[in-house]
DNA sequence: TGACATGTGAGACTGGGTTTCACCAGAACG
DNA sequence: CGTTCTGGTGAAACCCAGTCTCACATGTCA
């Protein structure tokens, strides 16, 4: 027995796929799902919300990761917090692809997606502001804002490439993109002759060995 | 005799100010303006649009400025194109402040404002992509995206400071912010011993003299 | 004068979202 | 065992943004 919520999501995506988002009414969705309008609006609040599964969770996890950052280690915190977003999308798989198709074609949904991304950016910005303030330096607000925008933008570039099927190894591209953005950021740099390697747990050792050799050869 | 459009805008801002955006219905607006609902929706298309005066104009001017850029001079093009946006807001004056008050409190309007900003960002991105491609170098897409995001973000930081009344010299802060963002961008750098000065026409010479002396002293 | 464009008004209609009341299951408790 | 409380549900009325269609009034041009 599936829950009402699941049936509504399923019915909505199916109908959106068949006849488009605008042409689909909430009444059609609830009819196919076998529930009432009341149930729909109680569960989602708005028609748009069927598509965007609760990112309060994700937002909370990002905040949690960011709060463990320090002015010395904040670049890693930013990288991993952005990685949480990428992880979320990769795990959603087919659902993320369906949503991408919709957000590309329906302006209202595109705006909604952008707004949620800016929600993440806001978290990055606020934490970055605190870290940069502790490090000292001029124009903390501006640089915190720029840092947050760059991290989110870099993430989005990689994410969109994956959504368009233009890459098979999003994590590799993600790491490169984050390096582009974060190496220029202020703070203590790795001493020459010292290489800091960040490993994602669950990764196959053989897969990372070439990268390790490469890093140590420089 | 004022036009219908002007009366509707006036009535809308007054009502939004008196009782808030959501609590104001289109019927109230057209009643006060002495026109019909038909006229309203023909003129603006949607309730939100009363607040955002057509930025197709601005978008076109930005595009025009960007198309005159070259891979050698693109940083100036970006800076001045962003300057067009700032100019627009500064010239709107009181109207921009009213809009800012609304966009801060009404989510729907905030999203709308963000979407229009992303429209500008898109122009920057597409032109930056072309310039960076001509210059050569890795990851053109990523860096074009980052450059556009940084320019827009830097502009927004200054704009918001002005909207909040936190600065009396937005142009000075704008120049600094753009320098922060653009000096690290790829391309030919100014030769040591050569100082390039960009002057806005209509500016008082006495105002810029100190900055000129300062620049030449380095 | 007649044809045509433009701006306007009136009113019906669709559909998203809210609100209110009612119902019913199951858990908790005496 | 009956009751009471609670969470999930349904029914229906309601509000309002936005669309559509028809009508009318003012031009302007031929």
């Amino acid at each position: 027995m599936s829950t009402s919520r699941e049936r509504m999501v399923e019915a909505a995506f199916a109908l959106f796929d068949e006849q488009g988002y605008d042409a689909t009414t909430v009444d059609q969705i609830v009819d196919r799902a076998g529930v009432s309008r009341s149930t729909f609006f109680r569960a989602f609040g708005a028609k748009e919300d069927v598509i965007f599964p609760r990112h309060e969770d994700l937002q909370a996890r990002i905040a949690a990761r960011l709060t463990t950052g320090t002015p010395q280690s904040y670049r890693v915190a930013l990288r991993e917090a952005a990685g949480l977003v990428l992880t979320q999308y990769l795990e959603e798989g087919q659902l993320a692809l369906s949503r991408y198709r919709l957000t590309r074609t329906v302006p209202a949904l595109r705006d909604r997606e952008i707004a949620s991304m800016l929600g993440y950016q806001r978290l990055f910005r606020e934490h970055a502001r605190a870290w940069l303030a502790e490090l000292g330096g001029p124009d903390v607000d501006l640089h915190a804002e720029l840092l947050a925008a760059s991290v989110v933008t870099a993430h989005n570039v990689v994410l969109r490439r994956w959504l368009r099927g233009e890459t098979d190894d999003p994590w590799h591209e993600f790491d490169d993109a984050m390096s582009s953005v974060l190496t220029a950021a202020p703070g203590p740099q790795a001493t020459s002759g010292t290489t800091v390697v960040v490993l994602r747990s669950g990764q196959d050792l053989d897969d990372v060995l070439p990268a390790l050799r490469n890093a140590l050869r420089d």
Side-chain angles (χ1 to χ4, degrees), chain A residues 73-192:
Chain A
S73 70
Y74 76 91
R75 296 192 214 75
V76 187
L78 285 174
R79 179 189 292 249
E80 292 188 8
L84 290 175
V85 183
L86 187 59
T87 302
Q88 166 88 5
Y89 276 81
L90 295 184
E91 282 178 353
E92 281 181 349
Q94 197 55 47
L95 194 69
L97 294 178
S98 296
R99 189 188 310 121
Y100 179 63
R101 227 177 304 129
L102 287 171
T103 52
R104 257 190 327 177
T105 52
V106 183
L109 300 179
R110 194 182 51 89
D111 292 354
R112 175 62 185 277
E113 171 113 271
I114 289 166
S116 82
M117 277 297 171
L118 287 192
Y120 307 143
Q121 184 168 327
R122 185 176 161 281
L123 288 176
F124 292 153
R125 183 213 316 148
E126 294 308 318
H127 285 83
R129 197 197 307 275
W131 292 321
L132 294 182
E134 277 197 64
L135 283 174
D139 299 326
V140 166
D141 280 11
L142 174 61
H143 286 99
E145 201 91 44
L146 287 172
L147 190 53
S150 298
V151 167
V152 169
T153 299
H155 163 274
N156 286 348
V157 169
V158 177
L159 174 59
R160 272 201 303 274
R161 279 181 53 79
W162 179 74
L163 287 169
R164 288 197 288 250
E166 294 173 3
T167 174
D168 293 325
D169 190 357
W171 278 116
H172 182 230
E173 298 197 8
F174 176 77
D175 285 339
D176 286 350
M178 284 298 135
S179 295
S180 276
V181 162
L182 293 174
T183 48
Q189 302 295 334
T191 313
S192 176

